[in-house]
Amino acid sequence: MTSQHRGRKLPGLRYGDPLRSLAIVLALLAAILAAPVSHALPPEEARHLLARAGFGAAPAEIEELAPLTREQAVDLLLSRMRRAPMLPRPAFLDAPWPPYRDMHARMTQGERDAFIQARRAELQQVKAWWYAEMIVTPSPLTERMTLFWHNHFVSAFEGVGQNVHRMWDQKAAFRAEAGGSFARLLAASLSDPVLLRYLDGHRNVKGRPNENLARELLELFALGEGHYAEADIREIARALTGLGLDRHDDWGFRFFPGNHDPGTKRFLGEPGSNAADVVRVLLARDRTAAFLAAKLWREFGAPEPDAAAEAAIAAALRGSGWEIRPALRALFLSDAFWSPRHRGALVKSPVVLIVAAHRELGLPVVDLGALPVHGRRLGQDLFEPPNVKGWPGGTAWITPASLVARHDVMERLLANRQLVAGPAMAGRRVLALRVAGDAWNGPPIMRLTINGDRLVARREIEFATDTARHGTLSDRADWNWRVLRFPVDEEIRVAKVEFLNDAAAPASDGPRRGDRNLYVEWLEADGERFLAADAAQAWHGVSCGGPPRPGNLNCNGELVFDIAAMRAAGSMRPRDVTEGMMAGMAAPSMGAGMAPASSRALATALPPRATHLDARGWLGGLPPPLRRPDMAWRALAPLPPVGGAQPGDEAEALLRAIVFDPVYHLM
Amino acid sequence: MDRRNFLAGTALLAACGTDGQAPHAPAASIRAPRSGDALPGPLDQRILVLVELQGGNDGLNTVIPVSQPAYRGLRPGLAIDPARALGLDADHALHPALAPLLEAWDAGECAIVESVGYPRPNRSHFRSIEIWEQATASDAYASEGWAARALREHPSPALRAGADADGIVVGTGAIGPLAGAGLRVVNMRDPRQFVAQGERLRSLGTPAGGPEALRHLVRTQNEAAAAAQAVQRKLTGRERFSRRFGWDPLARSLAHAADLVADGVHAPAWKVTLAGFDTHADQAQRHERLLGQVASALATFRAAMREMGRWNDTLVLTYSEFGRRAAENLSRGTDHGAAAPLFALGGAVEGGLRGTTPDLEALEDGDVRARVDFRAVYAGVIAGLWGQESNFLSAQGHAPLHLLRRRA
């Protein structure tokens, strides 16, 4: 009930009537009870708002909203919307652009294949970067809206000439207008080189119209099917002739007057001539606001239409001149948004599922590059939607195979906690090493000492590749990497890894002959990771051929991690996300990663993020009313679990019972 | 150019010595496959095993056109030494790593279809594998995999009725050809993990109320659980064949598949995957290792199926998103190509070379031309293995390429 009910006169009663006095009192009581909620947000309501307007609800976020009213909470989230990301962009974007202009003009097919492969590798970096941004951002709503525009003004990497640089620019523009202006976005879409390429806008020329852009503009961006005529498409296509791409500007936007059909056109009942007129006419139609309002409601509210909520959203769009924040405010403050009828009505998209799990469960990121792969497995490959309609969403995310895959992904994400902590080492310091090896006539032997002479381990690397059978494998990714963990009882100041038993088959065996080697990728001391590439390597005795590469112990030698010195020098100092960025974004030569200065800047720029390496930490971080086994689900799900599991008191079992319940996939 | 004419042409070339140098004579002797007469068993026993070679398998170094001088010219570094290659006939030799498959070849149970591809080839991994999985034209999209559609549209209920699942995907590869609504597909890394997963994916009762999204989730979970339970019920954990297989991912997946068959699990379609074929750089060693894994795993699988008396009911089919370019690149590797050969193995397979040998003098944009549409191969699978001669692919104009012996 809204405040409109207050103060309404009751019909049909006269003054002096005792029944009337009673009626007035009752009416006043009803009005007081019907007033908007003006007390603190209960945890379930806070969770609902945060999950719908972001990625899950971390306990600290629930607590922050607790003393606020709904209005205050919504205004807080809206005020935090950003125009720029938190994280510095992937390094390759700071380098000069590769020669996109030469792709079809000057390159051989082989060169083109290599060029595309390089762009694909960069695209993987960008995907991983976006997951990182979503996990650490103080404004998840900004990223949800960026995703919304990505799925509204749809384009896909393969359909835009693999131009990862321009796709980056487009997503940055979406982020800049996440809480900004739809009018600006609609206008920008007609000079967006990515969209033009994807929808053949650049092929639409006077005398030879290509209607693809015009059709999708009306059907997908502005009006929706059934609200325009074929004639409108034809006329708008004429008005949009001349939009093009300039090869010499690496396919940037350019208007080609010679290609533009100059005559008057008439579309949607209005005269107009060019792209600006098309945008003006579209923005003048009520239908445009209604279409966008309906889409926003389906994204954040419920799959079923709600006339009142959509009307309020549309009114806010029109009244504010197409500003998004007022529209979101109307949405998040509508009755329908808070109605119990729509609790759990939305299905989490793969990206939301993965990011929300990290944010609300405090999961560590062990391999950032794996997150986009998980997203793809679940059906949502960022930058690569299946077709021009984007991802349909809703229950389409859930099939028997995708549900099994979701469980698998959740299992892996939860297992990342053990990868960082190690199961049997709670309470002790942990030294971890990622190593691989080549074996020949027996495995390589490694010795690990700390702080001078304290022996931690001397062991065979029994999982080393058998080079007698397989030869030496040139591809680093093929080596049999494992993470070894060692409990230690003192602070690790210096760690030394030695390779003790170098050997090789005689040279006469040929270039693929068997060889024994030890490889180290990184060392973790007390949860801080240091790359072998930044450590100091020395040979024992004989010098090894080839340029030295710390971490590749091809001959007997040692790799020394002077932890204090490396920390001071700004070697990668991984908090959970920065280490993942290094792992996911390093150039193929391992260890390239990010420059120390920027990694330090990154580490200090990140807001603090609680990670919980076991479920007890998570449970203990919940608001006090929710710390009971029968209440904890309210922190993570919109509805009570249906699985019927009776987990008892144990925190890990409780967490798993919720996370593997169907309700965890609902928002 | 078809094989018969090409062979005649080769003889002529050999006589004339077109570039002044005699083409290298294949070192190995000719191996003509025996002709057999085994037929597949009843329809409800038949098994398709799809083996995805993920990354784009280099066909030209797999089935080597040894009598074409252009081969060495295009691949000065990567060309396989004819002295090591396993000669099949005057013009064809196999990569030496495929030696474990020779027993099947000699027995007449291995067919190789050459130059398989599709018009307007796409060289993107993601798009091209989608085309192979959905069996569409390169500019079309479908909502399900080709095998899923074939099973769904099959007129005979016997094909699926007695099966524990319609499709079983073993390993970490995509469901791909078996993806589709309404199909009971089970996806498992290995049986042990599968059982653990089943404990998470319990059957649930219908929820009393709640939003449609919840009801959909519960229905879906019940479907997945039912499919999983049907398979789980039969697992004995005996691992009858597991020890005979190697340790690479393909061998492990086929080991699990063989053990499941031994446990009495039946599904008309299975899929396994081996990744790593995208050999842009330093191809020689890696390709040899991968082909060795493929050959060894398939040979062991054949032995296991023969021991169980199921080999005549089985058709193993390899596929890859594309072949690789005829010329090697500057990194001692090859880049994305187009047409390539595929292998079909089974007790009732009519062994030998099919399709058209690649003509290295008549490449298309530096790639092997597609002379057999892969959809004709798939039409042949649906017709021959699953007994449906008129199927959705043949209806599109792809005459079935029959790989299996048929009853007269």
Side-chain angles (χ1 to χ4, degrees), chain A residues 109-110 113 117 120 158 343-345 347 376 386 395 398-401 403-404 407-408 411-412 472-475 478 512 639 642-643 645 656 660 662-663 665-666, chain B residues 123-124 126 141 172 175 183 187 189 193 197 200-202 204 207 210-214 216-218 220-221 223-224 278 280 282 285-286 288-289 325 335-336 365:
Chain A
Q109 180 66 45
D113 283 343
Q117 214 203 339
R120 271 231 152 252
E158 289 297 333
R343 273 319 139 93
V347 177
R376 182 187 157 83
T395 52
I398 307 292
T399 67
L403 187 57
V404 169
H407 280 225
D408 193 51
E411 195 68 84
R412 287 171 197 251
T472 47
L473 304 175
S474 52
D475 194 332
D478 287 339
R512 280 184 53 238
L639 299 167
V642 296
R656 292 179 64 89
F660 290 106
V663 298
H665 298 275
L666 299 173
Chain B
R123 290 184 189 80
S124 147
F126 303 97
Y141 295 85
T172 54
I175 293 180
L183 226 68
N187 193 346
R189 274 207 307 279
Q193 168 266 347
Q197 168 191 301
R200 282 196 309 264
L201 213 61
R202 280 187 300 273
L204 303 168
E212 168 58 23
L214 176 63
H216 176 87
L217 262 157
V218 171
T220 307
Q221 177 153 329
E223 250 182 84
D278 193 23
H280 285 280
D282 297 310
Q285 208 177 80
R286 179 164 358 151
E288 178 159 336
R289 178 166 53 92
R325 302 180 64 68
D335 300 315
H336 302 177
D365 265 347

Side-chain angles (χ1 to χ4, degrees), chain A residues 426-449:
Chain A
R428 299 181 76 185
R429 293 195 142 90
V430 174
L431 191 158
L433 272 181
R434 190 169 193 245
V435 297
D438 291 334
W440 175 75
N441 275 0
I445 294 177
M446 175 195 84
R447 183 165 67 194
L448 173 64
T449 51

Side-chain angles (χ1 to χ4, degrees), chain A residues 316-471:
Chain A
L317 281 169
R318 285 193 311 269
S320 67
W322 298 99
E323 290 289 312
I324 292 302
R325 254 181 276 218
L328 291 176
R329 190 173 198 277
L331 196 163
F332 292 132
L333 290 178
S334 66
D335 289 337
F337 179 76
W338 295 93
S339 161
R341 197 170 85 250
H342 295 309
R343 273 319 139 93
L346 295 177
V347 177
K348 289 181 184 171
S349 68
V351 169
V352 169
L353 178 73
I354 292 167
V355 175
H358 282 87
R359 290 179 71 103
E360 65 192 2
L361 300 177
L363 299 178
V365 176
V366 166
D367 180 1
L368 186 68
L371 299 185
V373 177
H374 291 324
R376 182 187 157 83
R377 269 189 72 201
L378 300 187
Q380 188 173 22
D381 199 356
L382 291 175
F383 297 90
E384 306 196 67
N387 55 52
V388 69
K389 289 186 155 61
W391 292 288
T395 52
W397 291 125
I398 307 292
T399 67
S402 78
L403 187 57
V404 169
R406 282 176 172 232
H407 280 225
D408 193 51
V409 168
M410 285 308 304
E411 195 68 84
R412 287 171 197 251
L413 295 181
L414 290 177
N416 281 343
R417 297 172 300 168
Q418 273 74 53
L419 281 180
V420 174
M425 297 180 194
R428 299 181 76 185
R429 293 195 142 90
V430 174
L431 191 158
L433 272 181
R434 190 169 193 245
V435 297
D438 291 334
W440 175 75
N441 275 0
I445 294 177
M446 175 195 84
R447 183 165 67 194
L448 173 64
T449 51
I450 59 171
N451 302 339
D453 56 358
R454 177 83 64 208
L455 178 68
V456 175
R458 185 187 190 280
R459 68 175 278 176
E460 292 182 349
I461 306 300
E462 73 284 0
F463 48 86
T465 311
D466 183 353
T467 59
R469 268 176 75 190
H470 302 292

Side-chain angles (χ1 to χ4, degrees), chain A residues 525-598:
Chain A
D526 298 327
E528 287 182 335
R529 187 174 294 180
F530 300 90
L531 298 180
D534 295 331
Q537 183 160 302
W539 303 122
H540 290 167
V542 59
S543 102
C544 241
R549 205 192 137 142
N552 285 15
L553 290 151
N554 302 106
C555 304
N556 287 341
E558 62 189 42
L559 185 65
V560 177
F561 293 82
D562 183 339
I563 304 291
M566 291 171 89
R567 233 187 243 132
S571 269
M572 281 303 294
R573 191 172 180 214
R575 308 256 298 273
D576 54 355
V577 173
T578 55
E579 113 207 350
M581 292 186 75
M582 166 197 76
M585 291 164 46
S589 59
M590 274 302 197
M594 299 170 72
S598 50

